[in-house]
Amino acid sequence: MKEFFKEFKKFISKGNVIDMAVGIIIGSAFTAIVNSLVNDVMMPLLSILTGGLDFTALRIVLGEGEGAATLNYGAFIAAVINFLLIAFVIFTMIKAMNKLSRKKAEAHKEEAPKKKVCPFCKEEVAADAVRCPHCTSELVEDGLIYEEID
């Protein structure tokens, strides 16, 4: 039994398990934000566009009396609309985040030192290098051999 708990402790303390737990917590918080955006902002705007129609009230009664079964197709329509709105909101948010990360990557790419390939050993060297650090060949640029001056 001790071995079981030792193994469980080792499993639970791994970084990927903790990362997953943090992701789930942040995901549930993000879900609350997106649901609020859809239910409190987007659905009222959609209601204005449809003339105040409440989809959840649409149903077909499948019998007679108070206990008759109902086919609540309006709730299904509302759920589909809710799903499409949530998917649209998540799509636009991810698209914006990707655009920001692309800009950040491009800025980082510009900062990175430029490199060239040694024509002799095919290893990468600094763009301003005059001698390859790998094979010590003199690097030719524009037909000229650059030599170190002592």
Side-chain angles (χ1 to χ4, degrees):
M1 193 66 155
K2 280 185 178 181
E3 190 64 34
F4 175 79
F5 284 113
K6 218 184 246 187
E7 190 177 343
F8 179 71
K9 183 180 176 184
K10 185 178 177 184
F11 168 76
I12 203 73
S13 64
K14 283 185 179 177
N16 56 359
V17 173
I18 295 169
D19 292 343
M20 183 179 64
V22 169
I24 290 170
I25 292 167
I26 290 175
S28 65
F30 184 73
T31 300
I33 291 170
V34 171
N35 282 334
S36 176
L37 178 65
V38 168
N39 294 329
D40 301 331
V41 177
M42 303 292 279
M43 286 302 264
L45 293 175
L46 184 64
S47 178
I48 290 171
L49 293 174
T50 60
L53 179 63
D54 180 17
F55 291 106
T56 57
L58 300 175
R59 68 185 64 152
I60 297 173
V61 179
L62 301 174
E64 296 181 21
E66 277 187 41
T70 58
L71 182 66
N72 300 323
Y73 69 93
F76 176 75
I77 292 171
V80 169
I81 291 171
N82 198 16
F83 168 77
L84 291 173
L85 288 174
I86 288 172
F88 177 74
V89 168
I90 290 174
F91 171 75
T92 55
M93 292 175 91
I94 289 175
K95 190 169 174 81
M97 284 191 270
N98 285 343
K99 187 175 183 180
L100 288 175
S101 73
R102 255 188 265 120
K103 283 184 181 179
K104 187 177 179 181
E106 286 172 3
H108 182 68
K109 194 177 195 181
E110 291 172 5
E111 294 171 5
K114 295 182 179 177
K115 299 200 176 212
K116 61 184 175 183
V117 175
C118 173
F120 302 101
C121 68
K122 305 299 183 199
E123 294 288 334
E124 281 189 4
V125 296
D128 57 350
V130 293
R131 189 174 290 275
C132 177
H134 304 286
C135 68
T136 69
S137 297
E138 292 176 355
L139 300 177
V140 177
E141 197 168 303
D142 299 328
L144 300 173
I145 296 177
Y146 292 94
E147 296 178 340
E148 288 186 30
I149 300 174
D150 291 328

